[in-house]
Amino acid sequence: MSKPLTDQEKRKQISVRGLAGVENVADLKTNFNRHLHFTLVKDRNVATKRDYYFALAHTVRDHLVGRWIRTQQHYYEKDPKRVYYLSLEFYMGRTLQNTMVNLALENACDEAIYQLGLDMEELQDMEEDAGLGNGGLGRLAACFLDSMATLGLAAYGYGIRYEFGIFNQKIVKGWQVEEADDWLRYGNPWEKARPEYMRPVHFYGRVEHHPDGVKWVDTQVILALPYDTPVPGYRNNIVNTMRLWSAKAPCEFHLKDFNVGGYIQAVLDKNLAENISRVLYPNDNFFEGKELRLKQEYFVVAATLQDIIRRFKASKFGSTEVVRMDLTTLPDKVAIQLNDTHPAMAIPELMRILIDDEKLTWETAWDITVRTCAYTNHTVLPEALERWPVDLFQNLLPRHLEIIYEINRRHLERISALYPGDHDRLRRMSLIEEGSQKKINMAHLCIVGSHAVNGVAQIHSDIIKDTVFKDFYDVDPQKFQNKTNGITPRRWLVMCNPGLAEVIAERIGEDYIQDLGQLKKLLKFVDDDALIRDIAKVKQENKMKFAVQLEEQYKVKINPNSLFDVHVKRIHEYKRQLLNCLHIITLYNLIKKEPNKAWTPRTIMIGGKAAPGYHTAKMIIKLITAIGEVVNNDSVVGDRLKVIFLENYRVTLAEKVIPAADLSEQISTAGTEASGTGNMKFMLNGALTIGTMDGANVEMAEEAGEENLFIFGMRVKDVEALDKKGYDAMEYYNRIPELKQAMDQISEGFFSPGEPDQFKDIVNMLMHHDRFKVFADYEDYIKCQQKVSALYKNPKEWTKMVIHNIAGCGKFSSDRTISQYAREIWGMEPSLEKIAAPDDPR
């Protein structure tokens, strides 16, 4: 028997990684050595692994630059409509391998690095994640950038260049400990500072009303310094831009009063100004009304709108002088998409510019603003909705408060005319919530100030129209749309799971990478023994590779033939990691009761970060690790059940764990998870889903066939009925012996022998005020998990179900999502045309 291929040899055979032409490889080696010498000023015999990573990154970046310049030139000449995706989060992960994939450089670089006697995976592991996001919302923005470039849209992602991204999570004695994510410590080879486009942003001050207009004066000025990162499309020679703003104090900052003797202090105080872009707020689905956060939100909006208007006015169309002074055509050339309410200040800021600076009438300015802006809602959880205290606004952004009051006055005037005397409706629909402290409801501002409002999965968009924003739907039904989320198949299949990408390409060709709907062609192979074998083989290889990493990190022996049951996402009560915990304890108890039964072995992996201030979420992590301590050290159980908490879950860890998963846990209470996108990644990578009818799970079941998912639990209507009746946790506790046993073990200290009441807060919550009704779905979840175990014993039937799932993934490409945004919201037409490469003649 021939000896098994090394990873490097295996990679070489994968056609989706591009061709490794001899000249190409030689050029890459030359440029690698040139960068090592001239860019990094290093000799080969003193260079470190990090130096080699930087040399490779610069070598690959060189291939972007010509395309980047040419793409921007192309837009300047063609003057297309441009879309601006405004987000406070861009969860990008690593850039090197994604760039090689999109430029078809992967095999050539692999070969060059191999010939230089280096290890590609070791170099890739030197790159820091760009963790400028919390979870789904920030990662969605990153997938959207990839799709917009791949579809040839003139698109720009605008956000903040946080000096510190999402914290690194350490688990110490079972508890989460946060450490700062100093991701820029060694420099970022993918960004280019653009000081020539620096913009002033104003805060505080006061408003003066003059006959000739309004002036906002005596403000504090902060400078916004842009950093550009290239965003390459998939093999179409288009490179778009993500522009992130960094805060800089102006040179004269506080120095005018230094004659008081405080020169040194004045220079030190520049830090205060620059704190605006210091750190990402680490909350997922939770609003924290801090002044610094409002400053961040206005900072990104004010800098970006100046940029948008500069670009609109200066766009060439056969002429070099300023072409467009008439702002009324702005909506024909500019679309602004607000990723949640975080950049909602774009609405009053655009109004301020149009009225105060451009001297337009209110009516004209409002028409332009509404036709330009569109709003994506990401959650219906009340604690996540942004409600800013009016007095904070009065102090920080006094002119914007005036504008919001006027927007509200006209809005309520319209509602009054439609519903005379309906005062309760006016109260419900106002942008200003009255109460002990008046607050601005940012979602209401976004709905009133946008021409389109969308949810992120069909069920979520329906809930928005029927409940949370029903009053607004009643008066403007044409505004409300659905745009089901998607994921980029470049990162989430070709890059992270090349083995599977190749098995698929061998059957249906490579075009599916740009047109994921073609995956349905796999259905005609569903009974093909060769495909079944190949799919199972790729999964097994991915599991072996991941198991090796797990054993190294956690010193727990992993059974690679066990079912890999994976639950990774932010830790939150609504995502119900506690329901998973109850299943683990129940399974443990069953194995202990009948140790000689032929149990399906499982390795259960749970991972995710808890917001630092979210006590319950941190306790959930402690409970998971405590359960793991007991289960993993019980010799009776052996390798039939292992529980691992995956530390520091992030984009790069997702890229490793998702291809190795057999079972994907998507178990939120129906009506709480707006969409989810991890669910789609698992489906595309050959895992089966156990889940509730929530978010995009509903559409996944529709696409793959409900019989090909493990669906359990209450539907939205059942949850509503239970709310009406009143949810009584004790009823389930007293009726279901396995549930009672599990809860008693938690509360009596079975998992915390040193501190029996360690988990009393969790027990008390589950028994007496569980908003997410964990017990109500317990029984059906356990039954459903038994079906999972039974099917896993039949590998052929399991793999057939996997093929049905992969074949049903087409809808969940972010290319489809973005095509719908483009046509139905932005008024733009996507295109799969390539533009000329820089080395082609024009």
Side-chain angles (χ1 to χ4, degrees):
M1 194 181 144
S2 59
K3 83 179 192 12
L5 296 170
T6 65
D7 273 351
Q8 204 271 336
E9 291 165 325
K10 227 179 266 170
R11 291 201 298 261
K12 230 193 244 194
Q13 297 176 353
I14 295 180
S15 63
V16 293
R17 300 177 87 128
L19 297 168
V22 180
E23 304 81 26
N24 210 351
V25 172
D27 285 348
L28 287 167
K29 285 162 73 178
T30 304
N31 287 321
F32 178 93
N33 285 320
R34 182 175 56 83
H35 277 299
L36 198 58
H37 190 80
F38 290 100
T39 311
L40 300 165
V41 198
K42 280 289 173 85
D43 193 87
R44 275 278 328 229
N45 51 32
V46 296
T48 63
K49 210 177 289 180
R50 177 167 286 107
D51 293 321
Y52 291 136
Y53 157 69
F54 275 105
L56 177 57
H58 279 104
T59 304
V60 170
R61 183 175 162 272
D62 289 345
H63 289 257
L64 282 169
V65 171
R67 291 172 171 92
W68 199 6
I69 291 168
R70 182 169 282 202
T71 301
Q72 300 311 311
Q73 181 67 22
H74 173 77
Y75 293 153
Y76 184 63
E77 289 163 5
K78 291 277 185 291
D79 193 35
K81 186 169 184 177
R82 291 168 159 90
V83 59
Y84 295 94
Y85 196 83
L86 266 63
S87 182
L88 267 88
E89 302 185 20
F90 287 94
Y91 203 172
M92 302 294 285
R94 290 176 178 169
T95 296
L96 174 59
Q97 195 184 356
N98 185 248
T99 305
M100 295 191 298
V101 165
N102 280 11
L103 264 41
L105 281 173
E106 222 179 348
N107 267 336
C109 287
D110 240 9
E111 184 59 30
I113 292 301
Y114 179 70
Q115 289 181 18
L116 290 163
L118 299 168
D119 181 306
M120 177 59 98
E121 287 198 29
E122 280 189 5
L123 299 194
Q124 287 172 344
D125 275 334
M126 297 308 296
E127 183 172 0
E128 300 276 358
D129 272 42
L132 308 185
N134 277 287
L137 173 147
R139 183 54 235 175
L140 186 77
C143 282
F144 279 4
L145 293 182
D146 181 89
S147 285
M148 290 187 293
T150 294
L151 292 171
L153 296 172
Y156 301 77
Y158 273 92
I160 295 175
R161 181 180 177 267
Y162 300 107
E163 195 176 320
F164 297 94
I166 187 64
F167 60 86
N168 284 313
Q169 178 193 57
K170 291 269 187 284
I171 301 297
V172 178
K173 296 179 182 168
W175 297 95
Q176 167 175 296
V177 175
E178 303 87 20
E179 59 179 40
D181 166 41
D182 193 4
W183 72 291
L184 293 169
R185 182 175 43 227
Y186 298 107
N188 174 4
W190 304 107
E191 69 182 5
K192 176 73 186 82
R194 295 271 177 220
E196 67 273 28
Y197 294 119
M198 193 132 50
R199 298 279 167 257
V201 176
H202 298 261
F203 292 103
Y204 304 108
R206 55 192 174 80
V207 182
E208 290 178 352
H209 291 260
H210 300 279
D212 59 330
V214 179
K215 288 203 173 69
W216 179 20
V217 298
D218 296 337
T219 56
Q220 187 195 120
V221 176
I222 310 278
L223 299 176
L225 170 65
Y227 286 78
D228 288 357
T229 299
V231 179
Y234 183 73
R235 303 185 186 182
N236 62 356
N237 298 316
I238 285 177
V239 180
N240 284 343
T241 301
M242 174 178 67
R243 175 163 286 180
L244 302 180
W245 302 100
S246 185
K248 286 291 272 179
C251 291
E252 68 275 14
F253 185 78
H254 280 202
L255 296 186
K256 45 194 169 302
D257 31 67
F258 88 89
N259 48 16
V260 196
Y263 163 71
I264 295 288
Q265 196 52 50
V267 174
L268 297 184
D269 282 350
K270 287 159 75 78
N271 274 315
L272 273 46
E274 295 168 2
N275 276 338
I276 290 178
S277 56
R278 195 80 66 205
V279 61
L280 168 74
Y281 273 83
N283 304 315
D284 188 73
N285 277 297
F286 184 77
F287 170 61
E288 186 176 2
K290 295 280 197 283
E291 181 179 47
L292 182 61
R293 171 68 174 194
L294 183 57
K295 278 185 174 169
Q296 289 181 339
E297 293 183 353
Y298 179 64
F299 175 74
V300 64
V301 154
T304 300
L305 275 166
Q306 292 179 66
D307 228 23
I308 290 174
I309 284 163
R310 172 192 58 76
R311 203 176 280 119
F312 169 79
K313 286 182 172 179
S315 271
K316 180 180 173 166
F317 201 63
S319 152
T320 44
E321 68 271 14
V322 173
V323 194
R324 277 192 287 250
M325 288 311 294
D326 178 15
L327 273 285
T328 55
T329 63
L330 191 76
D332 304 327
K333 287 295 177 187
V334 170
I336 295 174
Q337 190 68 36
L338 307 175
N339 194 26
D340 214 312
T341 57
H342 312 149
M345 291 303 298
I347 292 165
E349 173 66 4
L350 183 52
M351 286 297 286
R352 186 193 67 76
I353 293 168
L354 295 176
I355 293 167
D356 296 357
D357 300 349
E358 302 290 336
K359 310 294 185 199
L360 272 53
T361 66
W362 181 279
E363 290 71 18
T364 306
W366 185 245
D367 176 66
I368 291 169
T369 298
V370 171
R371 285 168 51 218
T372 300
C373 296
Y375 158 58
T376 301
N377 173 272
H378 282 273
T379 182
V380 295
L381 294 181
E383 63 267 37
L385 296 178
E386 293 196 293
R387 299 177 164 94
W388 286 105
V390 163
D391 45 28
L392 198 62
F393 255 84
Q394 183 63 258
N395 183 36
L396 190 69
L397 299 166
R399 177 57 179 147
H400 296 79
L401 183 60
E402 290 185 349
I403 290 167
I404 289 167
Y405 276 142
E406 180 61 15
I407 291 171
N408 195 40
R409 189 187 66 77
R410 292 172 181 246
H411 159 60
L412 292 181
E413 202 169 74
R414 175 182 172 227
I415 302 305
S416 262
L418 290 170
Y419 300 92
D422 191 343
H423 295 294
D424 197 53
R425 184 179 297 262
L426 290 182
R427 181 191 55 75
R428 291 196 310 267
M429 293 184 75
S430 177
L431 308 194
I432 313 292
E433 296 179 357
E434 302 293 339
S436 53
Q437 78 168 169
K438 296 209 306 189
K439 292 183 172 168
I440 302 169
N441 185 313
M442 301 306 270
H444 291 181
L445 173 61
C446 285
I447 295 168
V448 171
S450 298
H451 70 279
V453 175
N454 73 280
V456 290
Q458 191 61 58
I459 188 177
H460 170 232
S461 298
D462 291 342
I463 287 170
I464 277 173
K465 295 189 290 195
D466 298 342
T467 58
V468 215
F469 303 139
K470 181 180 192 299
D471 293 327
F472 294 90
Y473 177 70
D474 290 343
V475 298
D476 283 315
Q478 76 294 336
K479 273 191 186 182
F480 288 78
Q481 303 188 19
N482 172 245
K483 295 286 169 278
T484 300
N485 283 163
I487 58 172
T488 170
R490 271 73 64 182
R491 183 176 293 265
W492 296 111
L493 180 60
V494 178
M495 184 183 122
C496 72
N497 200 344
L500 181 57
E502 186 67 8
V503 164
I504 294 168
E506 282 167 2
R507 305 310 195 283
I508 66 171
E510 270 187 52
D511 287 355
Y512 75 89
I513 296 168
Q514 277 155 287
D515 177 16
L516 208 63
Q518 292 189 29
L519 286 178
K520 65 177 173 291
K521 293 179 185 172
L522 288 173
L523 285 175
K524 60 174 177 286
F525 298 99
V526 77
D527 294 311
D528 179 315
D529 285 333
L531 179 64
I532 292 169
R533 193 183 55 240
D534 286 352
I535 297 257
K537 177 168 176 272
V538 166
K539 178 62 72 181
Q540 200 51 41
E541 286 174 353
N542 291 339
K543 286 172 72 173
M544 299 287 281
K545 189 169 182 185
F546 191 61
V548 169
Q549 298 186 337
L550 284 181
E551 291 183 2
E552 264 173 41
Q553 197 179 346
Y554 297 106
K555 314 295 177 219
V556 173
K557 188 85 188 88
I558 304 295
N559 173 1
N561 298 311
S562 63
L563 187 161
F564 282 16
D565 172 344
V566 182
H567 195 181
V568 286
K569 50 190 73 246
R570 286 295 290 258
I571 310 294
H572 201 298
E573 287 160 87
Y574 87 83
K575 294 176 187 280
R576 296 202 297 190
Q577 282 91 358
L578 285 170
L579 182 56
N580 195 343
C581 288
L582 290 175
H583 171 248
I584 298 173
I585 297 171
T586 302
L587 189 53
Y588 172 74
N589 290 333
L590 286 167
I591 295 170
K592 291 285 279 185
K593 202 165 100 183
E594 300 186 72
N596 298 320
K597 211 175 140 187
W599 298 100
T600 302
R602 285 198 191 220
T603 302
I604 300 176
M605 306 175 212
I606 305 178
K609 291 173 184 175
Y614 188 176
H615 172 254
T616 305
K618 292 188 137 177
M619 285 307 304
I620 290 169
I621 292 174
K622 178 61 180 172
L623 178 62
I624 296 162
T625 57
I627 293 169
E629 281 295 302
V630 171
V631 170
N632 299 347
N633 294 300
D634 190 318
S635 55
V636 175
V637 174
D639 68 355
R640 293 176 292 183
L641 181 59
K642 293 291 183 205
V643 178
I644 296 197
F645 186 86
L646 295 172
E647 201 174 293
N648 203 30
Y649 180 66
R650 59 199 187 281
V651 174
T652 293
L653 185 53
E655 290 162 5
K656 296 177 165 77
V657 67
I658 292 172
D662 291 307
L663 186 68
S664 161
E665 301 264 359
Q666 308 295 336
I667 60 179
S668 53
T669 313
T672 63
E673 188 74 89
S675 167
T677 45
N679 47 4
M680 303 168 189
K681 293 163 193 172
F682 283 101
M683 184 184 189
L684 182 58
N685 281 278
L688 297 183
T689 301
I690 185 167
T692 51
M693 278 296 201
D694 198 18
N697 297 356
V698 177
E699 290 160 80
M700 286 162 51
E702 224 167 84
E703 295 295 304
E706 195 172 330
E707 68 281 7
N708 293 308
L709 279 78
F710 297 98
I711 298 291
F712 73 94
M714 297 180 289
R715 312 304 201 247
V716 169
K717 59 174 176 17
D718 304 315
V719 175
E720 285 168 355
L722 188 51
D723 275 325
K724 240 199 207 92
K725 168 180 167 243
Y727 167 66
D728 175 17
M730 292 306 293
E731 189 259 305
Y732 301 90
Y733 172 83
N734 290 319
R735 182 168 59 74
I736 308 164
E738 296 83 359
L739 173 60
K740 182 177 191 303
Q741 183 188 3
M743 287 304 297
D744 291 350
Q745 285 168 304
I746 296 171
S747 62
E748 288 163 14
F750 183 82
F751 298 105
S752 52
E755 196 183 333
D757 65 349
Q758 175 138 69
F759 300 114
K760 65 175 191 306
D761 291 352
I762 284 182
V763 171
N764 181 50
M765 181 274 290
L766 286 172
M767 298 292 229
H768 304 297
H769 34 89
D770 177 8
R771 295 166 57 203
F772 303 105
K773 306 176 177 65
V774 169
F775 292 180
D777 278 340
Y778 169 83
E779 226 173 349
D780 202 18
Y781 181 53
I782 300 297
K783 281 195 192 115
C784 199
Q785 287 282 22
Q786 286 165 349
K787 285 187 203 161
V788 171
S789 288
L791 186 67
Y792 192 73
K793 284 188 150 63
N794 185 341
K796 187 168 180 180
E797 288 308 308
W798 179 280
T799 306
K800 281 186 180 186
M801 198 179 274
V802 164
I803 294 167
H804 279 284
N805 273 267
I806 296 172
C809 273
K811 176 178 185 176
F812 305 107
S813 170
S814 46
D815 298 343
R816 185 269 317 152
T817 310
I818 288 297
S819 297
Q820 291 183 327
Y821 276 95
R823 296 188 177 113
E824 298 163 27
I825 296 181
W826 303 332
M828 297 166 75
E829 193 49 45
S831 142
L832 285 173
E833 261 176 86
K834 292 174 78 158
I835 64 170
D839 36 16
D840 298 348
R842 283 271 169 138

